[in-house]
Amino acid sequence: MTPGARTARARDLRRRQTHAEALLWQYLRAGRLAGFRFRRQHPIGRYFADFACLSLRLVIELDGRIHDGDPRQLADHQRQQEIESFGWCVLRFTNEQVTRSLPAVLAAIREQVRLAGALLPAEEAPLQRRSIPRARPPKFKP
């Protein structure tokens, strides 16, 4: 895939984000998680990671219901192994986990950051509630 095509694909994926991705992004963007910057739909190898922190080499993947089937789970496992082979750590959550228990998801991400030695417990910021608008359904061009 050419660099221009990768950029266009990443932009398209960002435009078509799920509600769970939009919700989590509000807590990850602009260094809001302990000062670490995350990117959305960041290309790694032949894949696009939902969220990636370059300085921590941490990938966060959100899985919708389509990922529940055995063939999709096998493909996800192979994808994760390939991303990890590039030296990245991958955390996976379901969309339902993000929408129903966001504080637990953020706590798991903070714990991974702490385990990486990048965040001391005293530096953790308390969870702040934010008003997140609902994601609009994508507009399809015929």
Side-chain angles (χ1 to χ4, degrees), residues 53-135:
C53 177
L54 302 183
S55 63
L56 297 175
R57 299 199 57 84
L58 175 63
V59 167
I60 300 170
E61 287 289 314
L62 300 186
D63 298 331
R65 288 196 176 142
I66 193 169
H67 296 264
D68 290 343
D70 286 340
R72 188 66 234 171
Q73 287 179 347
L74 178 60
D76 286 342
H77 179 70
Q78 291 170 339
R79 168 190 165 110
Q80 182 169 335
Q81 284 185 319
E82 188 169 333
I83 291 172
E84 288 173 342
S85 75
F86 294 121
W88 292 83
C89 176
V90 179
L91 292 179
R92 298 192 90 83
F93 301 99
T94 64
N95 287 346
E96 188 174 329
Q97 285 176 300
V98 172
T99 56
R100 292 184 185 229
S101 54
L102 181 62
V105 169
L106 292 172
I109 296 169
R110 282 191 187 100
E111 179 62 14
Q112 182 60 43
V113 168
R114 188 189 66 75
L115 289 173
L119 177 66
L120 299 174
E123 294 178 275
E124 290 186 25
L127 178 64
Q128 298 175 355
R129 291 194 86 51
R130 300 184 193 287
S131 174
I132 309 298
R134 281 209 162 280

